[in-house]
Amino acid sequence: MPSYTAPTRDTRFIINEMLDLESYAELPGFEAASADVTDAVINEGGKFCAEVLAPINQSGDQEGCTRHEDGSVTAPKGFKEAFDQFREAGWGTLSQPEEFGGQGMPHVLGFAFEEFVSSANQAFGMYPGLTNGAVSALLAKGSQEQKEKYLPKMISNEWTGTMNLTEPHCGTDLGMIRTKAEPQADGSYAITGTKIFISAGEHDMADNIIHLVLAKTPGAPDSTKGISLFVVPKFLVEEDGSIGERNGVVCGSIEHKMGIHGNATCVLNYDGAKGWLVGEENKGLAAMFIMMNAARLGVGIQGLSQAEVAYQNAVAYALDRRQGRALTGPAEPEQQADPIFVHPDVRRMLMDAKAFTEGMRALCLWGALQVDLSHKAATEEEREQADMLIGLLTPVIKGYGTDKGYEVATNMQQVFGGHGYIEEWGMSQFVRDARIAQIYEGTNGVQAMDLCGRKLAQKGGAAVQAFFKVVGEDIAEAKGDETLAPLAEAMEKALGQQQAATMWFMQNAMQNPNHLGAGAHHYMHIMGIVTLGWMWLRMAKAAQAALAAGTDDKAFYEAKLTTARYYMDRYLPDAGALRRKLETGSDSMMALGEEAFATAA
Amino acid sequence: MPSYTAPTRDTRFIINEMLDLESYAELPGFEAASADVTDAVINEGGKFCAEVLAPINQSGDQEGCTRHEDGSVTAPKGFKEAFDQFREAGWGTLSQPEEFGGQGMPHVLGFAFEEFVSSANQAFGMYPGLTNGAVSALLAKGSQEQKEKYLPKMISNEWTGTMNLTEPHCGTDLGMIRTKAEPQADGSYAITGTKIFISAGEHDMADNIIHLVLAKTPGAPDSTKGISLFVVPKFLVEEDGSIGERNGVVCGSIEHKMGIHGNATCVLNYDGAKGWLVGEENKGLAAMFIMMNAARLGVGIQGLSQAEVAYQNAVAYALDRRQGRALTGPAEPEQQADPIFVHPDVRRMLMDAKAFTEGMRALCLWGALQVDLSHKAATEEEREQADMLIGLLTPVIKGYGTDKGYEVATNMQQVFGGHGYIEEWGMSQFVRDARIAQIYEGTNGVQAMDLCGRKLAQKGGAAVQAFFKVVGEDIAEAKGDETLAPLAEAMEKALGQQQAATMWFMQNAMQNPNHLGAGAHHYMHIMGIVTLGWMWLRMAKAAQAALAAGTDDKAFYEAKLTTARYYMDRYLPDAGALRRKLETGSDSMMALGEEAFATAA
């Protein structure tokens, strides 16, 4: 069975040293997050995930969820008990507002914990993960009554939540949804329609499930401007908060998927189910986007999480498995063969994984801090800056993070040779589970268009200019330091590639928007490469500071500097190639018509 | 259910126009391969695969193989019947020597057919595919008696064959095998040991299974120099060729794998099984390599095949599924949304797939021609040149072809959005099946080292110099043509990247062999990119010739020119980035010790 240890040492380094969380102590919620408290939460959270969630990951994959004839669904063995423990320990309350029973800690801690949960058991993590998404939407758009009715029990994880967007004929294009919401005399709506791909849509792990559902009211415009959001509980909730009668929503079937078998992906049939409008009529998409943005960051973390757990197992295998000899001569002549760890091509895959996971962890936690700062920073300007940066980076964290996470998981499976292909070893599951992250919450193609078609252009490019400015400042500062200068110089060139690509879009996309669409994927990857490089520069700076100050853990900080160098060597060159591709535009890409793609016999 | 049509139009173009097979009519076996005959074989073969093999691909994946208590194994429903039809039609005999009941046709036809088989049903194709590998080894190294005893029934597919290399503790490093071969008084050997990962190792589709097994005779050297090859039939074969008693080899279990569920991957337990030495004692590895080289080309074709079938289904989905609007304005305003085919990011994935599959098909068929020429060309010089080129390109076809094939299959799954993740649609199976091709018959890391550590250096670099010469000549010629010149100029730069990388290896790898190992994967990809570009240049030339001569099928040839342009735009830039990475050497890659990879809590 594969193993998992939460990488808490690295998490603490990023939070305490790279982000210096204590320096934000004057902000609300941060005062409680002293390094002592942070460390304790991280360590306990990591332990919980490794000890309670990881052991039921593979069995959950093998068993999957079971739907019964009455439409009820049973999660795999051990999931309900683990969720009981999760609830009792209050893990779901970490970064939620105190007003509704949360602990009000910074999102930085919530994100750190989310990585551990997802590495240990991605399918399990989706139950509380989607609940968090639903909580975000209700917090932002729900009425006070709705908040009081649902949030305390969702935050405590007595109840879970879902997001209902997709229908059989539409997913990305939500303007086309057909689910209807008919107003009733009592102020509620009767919801009727079919939703598909509803993760955590039905299960036996909680007393109630609060569905957030996109639907159309009678006469609503036939576009995304005609979508409203409704809260539709599985069981109606009585005035006193107790569970009432069963609502008219039933799980019609569950999907047989490539992975995340432990999470029930449901077809939900709404047949006049009682629902209540969240926010204003026809403004559902905006509410949904709040939920979606939170979810997209969570999905980016899943890219990291599968890469991380796959990496840990690949390292163990590479040190254990003996085949062949080091190219420079036997490393362990007394043994019949050397561990495959000595082979450069194995090391390449491990270093690629190390450089990605540590860089991506830094990016996710930096992103979490921006989420916090966008709400809590002292000045309006700081809040706006943080909001702009996290808005810009959300599609990168989701799109680049999951593309690369899948690639790394696949490479870690490769380290195992033939054994990687056998389900027993668990590597296949990491790859199969990682695959979904590139698809859901908006495919990575949608992320690329969100980045290039929307975020780049917003406010006259203010967000990307702000990004260039902060990254440029860090590069300029690092150039003044002897150790950091070579890293900074490499980064300067990579940032230049992104700037050139941005300029090319500005000069060409107006004339032909297909030029933008044709390069969006490449741009997202350029930006991912640059952003992780920036994180490596920041980590190198923190490592350098620790070494200069004197430390007992010299090896840890020196490894950071070496891995930063590796990142610059082996990741940054792609930025230039991607820019060259992007600058070829859409001409050869869009020239061929439908008939040229038909298979001629 | 996913669909499949054999891309015979493209295959015929490559064989008749790009390779101009008829120009080799004076060579043995080629005289029969007139364009008429070739076209008929291709068309009939394609039809057979689409009609007989494709319909049982998904059901084979879902059902898998079943091992019974007595060690017997049943292939999925329909496999036995399909193999009966395959045998009756004589498809296995296509490129096999007439002396043993084959049709003696060029390998070009055999490879073309193999692509169709693998696209239609990769798990099925492995049964005759491994038989072909075993046939190659017996043809090259078996005694006349062995050939007469086994080959006719293997070639006719009455019996199938297997390759037994891997043991629980060793795969890549075959010097470590423990299976023993004790000489017996009657000239046979008693084979005892455990072999794992034996594809097609046990099944109910043929009357006998001929295992080729690596084992060690008593006192043999403790390295690859002590390996001998044995032929070990499942049922002993009587003097008259009839089936005799059951031999001492039993399937102990079958693996639960990520994919290729329709093929039984067996643990085979040999307990004093009767075997006969093939070739000389302690020379087993050389014999195995004959088999392996044939198998590696077959695996490269699998990379192509899964990309192709996934591509066909993605095209159909992209034309059918409607979401959103074209960036340049509604393409079909009367419909509620446009087909996703209009979106540049979808088109990017489809064009990437088209450029890869057509280029890779050209490379596989060109490679098949080299196999033929290495045996049959008129002069020793031509035979040597062909042998050198296919030896050099075999790891590229296997390694690059399957890395890219997996990537393309994954992207085609991506075109389906959420539906791609649901098993019902079949896209997951293409990805899961494609995944094994990067691993078996030598992982792609092993391919990269075969290319860089062995093939590049052989005969003072003669093979790679020969490659540079033929590609360089085609570039020089194309530069003289107005239409082809831009393609040729792009190719010249890419070839320059490969030449620079080669030079860097020459200047640095002697001093530190890790520099070679650290760049081998990148070099293999550079060479794959350059080689497919070369194929596109040759296809563009053939297309240009057809257009100049006048043709009814203008659209087909024009699409070739456009796709060639796309290839140069979107594939070649990676060659430069890979070279830059390669030139950073192994310093940052190999600097960190074991402890730096441990997960610190």
Side-chain angles (χ1 to χ4, degrees):
Chain A
M1 198 172 77
S3 68
Y4 175 66
T5 304
T8 52
R9 173 70 183 93
D10 197 47
T11 305
R12 295 195 311 269
F13 162 73
I14 293 165
I15 293 179
N16 296 328
E17 300 177 65
M18 189 192 97
L19 296 177
D20 191 12
L21 203 68
E22 282 194 326
S23 70
Y24 299 90
E26 79 284 359
L27 303 183
F30 284 70
E31 72 282 352
S34 65
D36 282 358
V37 171
T38 301
D39 290 359
V41 169
I42 298 294
N43 293 345
E44 280 307 304
K47 228 175 115 193
F48 177 84
C49 295
E51 291 175 3
V52 177
L53 305 183
I56 53 171
N57 188 37
Q58 191 173 30
S59 56
D61 178 63
Q62 285 163 358
E63 182 189 341
C65 295
T66 311
R67 179 183 172 277
H68 308 284
E69 269 182 40
D70 62 357
S72 67
V73 170
T74 311
K77 198 161 168 278
F79 272 46
K80 184 173 166 44
E81 293 72 15
F83 198 52
D84 288 343
Q85 286 184 256
F86 188 96
R87 182 187 302 120
E88 278 155 31
W91 287 117
T93 67
L94 216 50
S95 307
Q96 300 292 3
E98 291 173 282
E99 187 187 351
F100 300 106
Q103 297 182 54
M105 302 278 274
H107 280 90
V108 176
L109 292 187
F111 277 41
F113 179 68
E114 220 172 306
E115 180 205 324
F116 305 157
V117 173
S118 251
S119 281
N121 197 324
Q122 181 173 327
F124 178 95
M126 291 166 67
Y127 295 98
L130 284 156
T131 306
N132 286 346
V135 165
S136 310
L138 285 172
L139 270 173
K141 300 289 179 181
S143 65
Q144 190 60 25
E145 190 200 334
Q146 287 169 342
K147 289 180 190 174
E148 283 166 14
K149 190 169 197 171
Y150 299 111
L151 287 180
K153 300 223 167 169
M154 292 173 79
I155 286 172
S156 69
N157 288 149
E158 285 167 272
W159 301 346
T160 63
T162 71
M163 295 170 56
N164 291 236
L165 290 75
T166 308
E167 300 185 3
H169 65 289
C170 73
T172 301
D173 188 354
L174 292 169
M176 289 163 76
I177 63 167
R178 291 177 192 154
T179 297
K180 281 179 193 156
E182 298 273 353
Q184 305 296 301
D186 65 357
S188 72
Y189 289 75
I191 312 289
T192 301
T194 301
K195 293 288 180 179
I196 66 167
F197 299 165
I198 309 308
S199 297
E202 180 60 76
H203 57 81
D204 59 343
M205 293 163 60
D207 296 337
N208 204 356
I209 303 176
I210 310 306
H211 304 294
L212 289 187
V213 184
L214 289 187
K216 287 191 167 175
T217 52
D222 197 19
S223 74
T224 52
K225 295 193 179 99
I227 299 173
S228 305
L229 182 67
F230 298 87
V231 56
V232 187
K234 174 179 165 185
F235 290 100
L236 298 180
V237 179
E238 301 290 341
E239 284 303 312
D240 65 356
S242 65
I243 299 271
E245 64 178 296
R246 187 73 160 80
N247 204 351
V249 48
V250 173
C251 168
S253 63
I254 58 176
E255 307 286 354
H256 297 100
K257 308 184 298 293
M258 186 178 187
I260 49 167
H261 295 160
N263 199 284
T265 304
C266 300
V267 172
L268 288 185
N269 296 319
Y270 291 86
D271 186 13
K274 233 178 191 357
W276 288 269
L277 185 65
V278 178
E280 289 175 58
E281 216 170 287
N282 296 337
K283 295 279 171 67
L285 202 69
M288 213 62 188
F289 259 109
I290 288 167
M291 191 151 154
M292 192 103 92
N293 277 330
R296 284 176 177 178
L297 292 171
V299 174
I301 293 173
Q302 291 176 350
L304 161 61
S305 73
Q306 295 311 296
E308 170 67 30
V309 67
Y311 163 71
Q312 289 186 15
N313 284 279
V315 167
Y317 188 81
L319 291 170
D320 182 62
R321 175 80 170 175
R322 294 177 179 277
Q323 297 288 282
R325 290 296 187 190
L327 294 172
T328 47
E332 300 182 17
E334 72 289 358
Q335 300 279 349
Q336 208 187 346
D338 291 334
I340 61 172
F341 179 77
V342 303
H343 302 310
D345 195 61
V346 169
R347 202 73 70 85
R348 171 184 66 80
M349 293 189 279
L350 296 180
M351 282 299 293
D352 264 5
K354 186 177 170 63
F356 170 69
T357 52
E358 295 180 17
M360 185 68 188
R361 180 171 302 117
L363 177 58
C364 290
L365 295 174
W366 171 88
L369 180 60
Q370 305 315 305
V371 172
D372 285 320
L373 293 177
S374 72
H375 296 300
K376 297 178 174 176
T379 69
E380 173 69 21
E381 197 192 331
E382 288 170 279
R383 288 194 296 273
E384 257 187 23
Q385 161 99 351
D387 190 55
M388 213 158 54
L389 286 176
I390 191 60
L392 180 71
L393 265 310
T394 294
V396 177
I397 291 172
K398 197 282 187 183
Y400 179 75
T402 61
D403 277 355
K404 196 72 199 172
Y406 177 69
E407 184 190 315
V408 167
T410 301
N411 284 340
M412 296 304 92
Q413 181 188 30
Q414 189 75 12
V415 170
F416 280 70
H419 298 277
Y421 201 65
I422 309 298
E423 289 294 345
E424 185 188 346
W425 288 82
M427 300 306 285
S428 163
Q429 184 187 354
F430 300 140
V431 174
R432 291 185 289 99
D433 285 359
R435 184 68 185 92
I436 189 58
Q438 299 174 283
I439 298 172
Y440 60 15
E441 307 306 344
T443 65
N444 285 356
V446 169
Q447 303 302 321
M449 281 309 291
D450 176 44
L451 174 64
C452 298
R454 207 154 37 179
K455 303 288 173 66
L456 281 189
Q458 266 173 1
K459 299 185 194 167
V464 76
Q465 292 307 330
F467 175 81
F468 290 149
K469 186 154 177 286
V470 297
V471 179
E473 283 167 0
D474 281 347
I475 289 172
E477 190 197 318
K479 279 171 80 177
D481 176 285
E482 200 184 342
T483 307
L484 302 179
L487 306 174
E489 281 152 20
M491 268 301 294
E492 191 167 38
K493 281 186 206 144
L495 186 66
Q497 301 288 2
Q498 190 190 339
Q499 287 164 329
T502 313
M503 186 66 77
W504 192 90
F505 273 163
M506 283 171 60
Q507 289 166 344
N508 293 278
M510 290 288 269
Q511 153 220 339
N512 179 356
N514 279 341
H515 287 330
L516 189 84
H521 168 89
H522 298 322
Y523 190 91
M524 181 173 77
H525 275 246
I526 294 171
M527 190 157 181
I529 291 165
V530 167
T531 307
L532 255 64
W534 174 40
M535 290 297 131
W536 271 111
L537 198 59
R538 294 191 58 174
M539 285 196 282
K541 186 183 159 194
Q544 166 88 334
L547 287 166
T551 164
D552 295 342
D553 200 1
K554 233 176 126 184
F556 177 85
Y557 296 104
E558 284 173 349
K560 282 284 172 201
L561 292 176
T562 302
T563 311
R565 177 74 254 163
Y566 180 86
Y567 187 90
M568 305 306 166
D569 285 350
R570 300 265 166 176
Y571 274 74
L572 296 189
D574 285 332
L578 289 163
R579 193 205 91 196
R580 283 186 54 203
K581 294 184 201 184
L582 180 153
E583 290 180 358
T584 65
S586 62
D587 292 346
S588 62
M589 186 183 286
M590 302 298 284
L592 294 179
E594 188 175 325
E595 62 293 344
F597 292 88
T599 303
Chain B
M1 198 172 75
S3 69
Y4 175 65
T5 304
T8 52
R9 172 70 183 92
D10 197 45
T11 306
R12 296 195 311 269
F13 162 73
I14 293 165
I15 293 180
N16 296 328
E17 300 177 65
M18 189 193 95
L19 296 177
D20 191 12
L21 203 69
E22 281 195 326
S23 69
Y24 297 90
E26 78 285 1
L27 303 183
F30 284 70
E31 72 282 351
S34 64
D36 282 358
V37 171
T38 302
D39 289 359
V41 168
I42 298 295
N43 293 345
E44 278 309 303
K47 227 175 116 192
F48 177 85
C49 295
E51 290 175 3
V52 177
L53 305 182
I56 54 172
N57 188 37
Q58 191 173 30
S59 56
D61 179 63
Q62 285 163 357
E63 181 189 341
C65 296
T66 311
R67 179 182 171 278
H68 308 285
E69 268 182 39
D70 62 357
S72 66
V73 170
T74 311
K77 195 158 171 280
F79 272 45
K80 186 175 166 41
E81 293 73 16
F83 199 51
D84 288 343
Q85 286 184 257
F86 188 95
R87 183 187 301 119
E88 278 155 30
W91 286 117
T93 68
L94 214 52
S95 307
Q96 300 294 2
E98 290 174 282
E99 188 186 352
F100 300 107
Q103 298 182 53
M105 303 279 274
H107 280 90
V108 176
L109 291 187
F111 277 42
F113 180 68
E114 221 172 306
E115 180 205 322
F116 304 157
V117 173
S118 252
S119 282
N121 197 324
Q122 181 173 327
F124 177 95
M126 292 168 67
Y127 295 98
L130 284 157
T131 306
N132 286 345
V135 165
S136 309
L138 285 172
L139 271 173
K141 300 288 180 181
S143 66
Q144 189 59 28
E145 191 200 333
Q146 287 170 343
K147 289 181 189 174
E148 284 166 12
K149 192 169 195 170
Y150 300 109
L151 288 180
K153 300 224 170 168
M154 292 173 79
I155 286 172
S156 69
N157 288 149
E158 283 166 275
W159 301 347
T160 63
T162 72
M163 296 170 57
N164 289 237
L165 289 76
T166 307
E167 300 185 3
H169 65 293
C170 73
T172 300
D173 189 353
L174 292 169
M176 289 163 75
I177 65 166
R178 290 176 191 153
T179 297
K180 280 179 194 156
E182 297 273 353
Q184 306 296 299
D186 64 356
S188 72
Y189 290 75
I191 312 288
T192 301
T194 300
K195 293 289 181 180
I196 65 167
F197 299 164
I198 309 308
S199 298
E202 181 60 75
H203 58 80
D204 60 344
M205 293 163 59
D207 295 338
N208 205 356
I209 303 176
I210 310 306
H211 304 295
L212 289 186
V213 184
L214 288 187
K216 286 191 167 175
T217 53
D222 197 18
S223 73
T224 53
K225 294 191 177 103
I227 299 174
S228 304
L229 181 67
F230 298 88
V231 54
V232 186
K234 172 180 168 184
F235 290 100
L236 298 179
V237 179
E238 301 291 342
E239 284 305 311
D240 64 357
S242 66
I243 298 272
E245 63 178 297
R246 186 71 160 81
N247 204 352
V249 48
V250 173
C251 168
S253 62
I254 57 177
E255 308 286 356
H256 297 101
K257 308 184 299 291
M258 186 179 186
I260 49 166
H261 295 160
N263 199 284
T265 304
C266 300
V267 174
L268 288 186
N269 296 318
Y270 290 86
D271 185 12
K274 233 179 192 356
W276 288 269
L277 185 66
V278 178
E280 289 174 59
E281 218 170 282
N282 297 337
K283 296 278 172 67
L285 202 69
M288 212 64 187
F289 259 109
I290 288 167
M291 191 150 154
M292 192 102 91
N293 277 330
R296 283 175 178 179
L297 292 172
V299 174
I301 294 173
Q302 290 175 353
L304 161 61
S305 72
Q306 295 311 297
E308 169 67 30
V309 67
Y311 164 70
Q312 290 186 15
N313 284 279
V315 167
Y317 189 82
L319 291 170
D320 183 62
R321 176 79 169 177
R322 294 175 180 278
Q323 296 289 282
R325 289 297 187 187
L327 294 172
T328 47
E332 300 182 18
E334 72 289 0
Q335 299 280 349
Q336 207 187 349
D338 291 334
I340 60 172
F341 179 78
V342 304
H343 301 311
D345 197 59
V346 170
R347 202 74 69 84
R348 171 184 66 79
M349 294 190 277
L350 296 180
M351 282 299 293
D352 264 6
K354 185 176 172 65
F356 170 68
T357 52
E358 296 179 17
M360 185 69 189
R361 180 171 301 119
L363 177 58
C364 290
L365 295 174
W366 171 89
L369 181 60
Q370 306 313 305
V371 172
D372 286 320
L373 293 177
S374 71
H375 296 299
K376 297 180 175 173
T379 69
E380 173 68 20
E381 198 193 330
E382 288 170 279
R383 288 194 295 275
E384 260 188 21
Q385 162 98 353
D387 189 55
M388 215 157 55
L389 286 176
I390 190 61
L392 180 72
L393 265 309
T394 294
V396 177
I397 290 172
K398 197 282 188 185
Y400 180 74
T402 62
D403 276 354
K404 198 72 199 171
Y406 178 69
E407 185 191 315
V408 167
T410 301
N411 284 341
M412 296 304 92
Q413 181 188 29
Q414 190 74 15
V415 169
F416 280 70
H419 297 277
Y421 200 66
I422 309 298
E423 290 294 344
E424 185 188 346
W425 288 82
M427 301 306 286
S428 164
Q429 184 187 355
F430 300 140
V431 173
R432 291 185 290 99
D433 286 358
R435 184 69 185 89
I436 189 58
Q438 299 173 284
I439 298 172
Y440 61 16
E441 308 303 346
T443 64
N444 286 354
V446 169
Q447 304 302 320
M449 281 310 290
D450 177 44
L451 174 64
C452 298
R454 211 162 30 186
K455 303 288 172 65
L456 280 190
Q458 266 173 1
K459 300 185 193 167
V464 75
Q465 292 307 330
F467 174 80
F468 290 151
K469 188 156 175 284
V470 297
V471 179
E473 283 167 2
D474 281 348
I475 290 171
E477 191 197 316
K479 280 171 78 177
D481 177 285
E482 199 184 344
T483 308
L484 302 178
L487 307 175
E489 280 152 22
M491 268 301 294
E492 192 167 37
K493 282 186 205 142
L495 186 66
Q497 302 288 3
Q498 190 189 341
Q499 287 164 329
T502 313
M503 186 67 78
W504 192 90
F505 273 163
M506 284 172 59
Q507 289 166 344
N508 294 279
M510 290 287 269
Q511 154 221 337
N512 180 356
N514 278 343
H515 287 330
L516 189 84
H521 168 88
H522 298 323
Y523 190 92
M524 181 172 78
H525 275 247
I526 294 171
M527 190 158 180
I529 290 165
V530 168
T531 308
L532 256 63
W534 174 38
M535 290 296 130
W536 271 111
L537 197 59
R538 293 191 57 173
M539 285 196 283
K541 187 184 157 192
Q544 166 88 335
L547 287 167
T551 164
D552 294 343
D553 200 1
K554 234 176 124 183
F556 177 85
Y557 296 104
E558 284 173 349
K560 282 283 172 202
L561 292 175
T562 301
T563 311
R565 178 72 254 165
Y566 180 87
Y567 186 90
M568 306 306 166
D569 285 349
R570 298 269 166 173
Y571 274 72
L572 296 188
D574 285 331
L578 289 163
R579 194 205 90 197
R580 284 186 55 203
K581 295 184 200 184
L582 180 151
E583 290 180 358
T584 65
S586 61
D587 292 347
S588 62
M589 188 184 285
M590 302 298 284
L592 294 180
E594 189 175 323
E595 63 293 345
F597 292 88
T599 303

